Short mmCIF file of all heavy atoms in Angstrom, two decimals:
data_model
loop_
_atom_site.label_atom_id
_atom_site.label_comp_id
_atom_site.label_asym_id
_atom_site.label_seq_id
_atom_site.Cartn_x
_atom_site.Cartn_y
_atom_site.Cartn_z
N SER R 31 -0.41 35.07 -26.31
CA SER R 31 0.28 36.33 -26.04
C SER R 31 1.76 36.20 -26.37
O SER R 31 2.59 36.03 -25.47
CB SER R 31 0.08 36.70 -24.57
OG SER R 31 0.76 37.89 -24.27
N PRO R 32 2.11 36.27 -27.67
CA PRO R 32 3.52 36.11 -28.04
C PRO R 32 4.40 37.27 -27.51
O PRO R 32 5.57 37.09 -27.20
CB PRO R 32 3.52 36.09 -29.57
CG PRO R 32 2.17 36.50 -29.99
CD PRO R 32 1.26 36.41 -28.83
N GLU R 33 3.80 38.45 -27.39
CA GLU R 33 4.52 39.59 -26.81
C GLU R 33 4.45 39.47 -25.28
O GLU R 33 3.54 38.86 -24.75
CB GLU R 33 3.86 40.91 -27.24
CG GLU R 33 3.77 41.08 -28.73
CD GLU R 33 5.07 41.49 -29.34
OE1 GLU R 33 5.83 42.22 -28.68
OE2 GLU R 33 5.35 41.06 -30.47
N TYR R 34 5.40 40.10 -24.59
CA TYR R 34 5.35 40.06 -23.14
C TYR R 34 4.15 40.85 -22.63
O TYR R 34 3.87 41.96 -23.07
CB TYR R 34 6.63 40.64 -22.53
CG TYR R 34 6.55 40.70 -21.02
CD1 TYR R 34 6.71 39.56 -20.27
CD2 TYR R 34 6.26 41.89 -20.38
CE1 TYR R 34 6.60 39.59 -18.89
CE2 TYR R 34 6.15 41.94 -19.00
CZ TYR R 34 6.32 40.79 -18.26
OH TYR R 34 6.21 40.82 -16.90
N HIS R 35 3.44 40.24 -21.71
CA HIS R 35 2.33 40.91 -21.04
C HIS R 35 2.37 40.50 -19.57
O HIS R 35 2.58 39.33 -19.26
CB HIS R 35 1.00 40.49 -21.67
CG HIS R 35 -0.14 41.35 -21.23
ND1 HIS R 35 -0.77 41.18 -20.02
CD2 HIS R 35 -0.74 42.41 -21.83
CE1 HIS R 35 -1.72 42.09 -19.89
NE2 HIS R 35 -1.73 42.83 -20.99
N PRO R 36 2.18 41.45 -18.66
CA PRO R 36 2.26 41.11 -17.24
C PRO R 36 1.29 40.01 -16.81
O PRO R 36 1.63 39.18 -15.99
CB PRO R 36 1.95 42.43 -16.52
CG PRO R 36 2.12 43.50 -17.53
CD PRO R 36 1.96 42.90 -18.88
N LEU R 37 0.09 40.03 -17.37
CA LEU R 37 -0.88 38.99 -16.98
C LEU R 37 -0.48 37.61 -17.50
O LEU R 37 -0.73 36.60 -16.85
CB LEU R 37 -2.29 39.36 -17.49
CG LEU R 37 -2.95 40.52 -16.76
CD1 LEU R 37 -4.30 40.84 -17.40
CD2 LEU R 37 -3.11 40.23 -15.29
N ALA R 38 0.16 37.59 -18.67
CA ALA R 38 0.63 36.30 -19.21
C ALA R 38 1.73 35.75 -18.29
O ALA R 38 1.73 34.56 -17.96
CB ALA R 38 1.16 36.48 -20.62
N GLY R 39 2.63 36.62 -17.86
CA GLY R 39 3.67 36.18 -16.94
C GLY R 39 3.10 35.73 -15.61
O GLY R 39 3.55 34.75 -15.01
N ARG R 40 2.07 36.43 -15.17
CA ARG R 40 1.45 36.07 -13.90
C ARG R 40 0.76 34.70 -13.99
O ARG R 40 0.85 33.90 -13.05
CB ARG R 40 0.43 37.14 -13.53
CG ARG R 40 -0.04 37.04 -12.13
CD ARG R 40 -0.76 38.30 -11.73
NE ARG R 40 -1.31 38.12 -10.41
CZ ARG R 40 -2.30 38.81 -9.92
NH1 ARG R 40 -2.85 39.75 -10.64
NH2 ARG R 40 -2.75 38.58 -8.72
N ALA R 41 0.09 34.43 -15.11
CA ALA R 41 -0.58 33.14 -15.29
C ALA R 41 0.45 32.01 -15.26
O ALA R 41 0.24 30.96 -14.63
CB ALA R 41 -1.35 33.12 -16.60
N LYS R 42 1.59 32.22 -15.91
CA LYS R 42 2.64 31.20 -15.91
C LYS R 42 3.22 31.00 -14.53
O LYS R 42 3.48 29.87 -14.11
CB LYS R 42 3.73 31.60 -16.91
CG LYS R 42 3.28 31.54 -18.35
CD LYS R 42 4.28 32.25 -19.23
CE LYS R 42 4.95 31.29 -20.15
NZ LYS R 42 5.91 31.93 -21.03
N ASP R 43 3.43 32.09 -13.81
CA ASP R 43 3.96 32.00 -12.45
C ASP R 43 3.00 31.27 -11.51
O ASP R 43 3.42 30.45 -10.68
CB ASP R 43 4.26 33.39 -11.88
CG ASP R 43 5.44 34.06 -12.57
OD1 ASP R 43 6.21 33.35 -13.24
OD2 ASP R 43 5.57 35.29 -12.43
N ILE R 44 1.72 31.53 -11.65
CA ILE R 44 0.73 30.87 -10.79
C ILE R 44 0.68 29.37 -11.08
O ILE R 44 0.58 28.54 -10.18
CB ILE R 44 -0.65 31.53 -10.96
CG1 ILE R 44 -0.61 32.94 -10.36
CG2 ILE R 44 -1.75 30.70 -10.31
CD1 ILE R 44 -1.83 33.78 -10.70
N ALA R 45 0.73 29.01 -12.37
CA ALA R 45 0.73 27.59 -12.73
C ALA R 45 1.96 26.89 -12.17
O ALA R 45 1.88 25.78 -11.64
CB ALA R 45 0.66 27.42 -14.25
N ALA R 46 3.11 27.55 -12.26
CA ALA R 46 4.33 26.96 -11.71
C ALA R 46 4.26 26.86 -10.19
O ALA R 46 4.74 25.88 -9.60
CB ALA R 46 5.54 27.79 -12.14
N ALA R 47 3.67 27.86 -9.55
CA ALA R 47 3.54 27.83 -8.09
C ALA R 47 2.61 26.70 -7.65
O ALA R 47 2.86 26.07 -6.61
CB ALA R 47 3.00 29.17 -7.59
N ALA R 48 1.59 26.43 -8.43
CA ALA R 48 0.68 25.32 -8.10
C ALA R 48 1.43 23.99 -8.12
O ALA R 48 1.23 23.14 -7.25
CB ALA R 48 -0.50 25.29 -9.08
N VAL R 49 2.31 23.81 -9.10
CA VAL R 49 3.11 22.59 -9.15
C VAL R 49 4.06 22.52 -7.96
O VAL R 49 4.24 21.47 -7.36
CB VAL R 49 3.90 22.52 -10.49
CG1 VAL R 49 4.85 21.34 -10.49
CG2 VAL R 49 2.93 22.41 -11.66
N TRP R 50 4.64 23.66 -7.59
CA TRP R 50 5.57 23.68 -6.46
C TRP R 50 4.85 23.31 -5.17
O TRP R 50 5.37 22.50 -4.38
CB TRP R 50 6.19 25.08 -6.33
CG TRP R 50 7.21 25.15 -5.25
CD1 TRP R 50 8.50 24.78 -5.31
CD2 TRP R 50 6.98 25.61 -3.91
NE1 TRP R 50 9.10 24.98 -4.09
CE2 TRP R 50 8.19 25.49 -3.21
CE3 TRP R 50 5.88 26.12 -3.24
CZ2 TRP R 50 8.34 25.85 -1.88
CZ3 TRP R 50 6.01 26.49 -1.92
CH2 TRP R 50 7.23 26.34 -1.25
N VAL R 51 3.67 23.86 -4.94
CA VAL R 51 2.91 23.53 -3.73
C VAL R 51 2.57 22.04 -3.71
O VAL R 51 2.70 21.36 -2.68
CB VAL R 51 1.62 24.38 -3.64
CG1 VAL R 51 0.68 23.88 -2.56
CG2 VAL R 51 1.98 25.84 -3.40
N LEU R 52 2.14 21.51 -4.85
CA LEU R 52 1.86 20.08 -4.94
C LEU R 52 3.09 19.26 -4.60
O LEU R 52 3.02 18.28 -3.86
CB LEU R 52 1.35 19.73 -6.34
CG LEU R 52 1.09 18.25 -6.58
CD1 LEU R 52 -0.07 17.76 -5.75
CD2 LEU R 52 0.85 18.01 -8.05
#
Side-chain angles (χ1 to χ4, degrees):
S31 178
E33 304 282 327
Y34 175 76
H35 192 280
L37 289 177
R40 193 166 175 201
K42 291 167 114 179
D43 290 343
I44 291 169
V49 173
W50 183 82
V51 169
L52 176 67

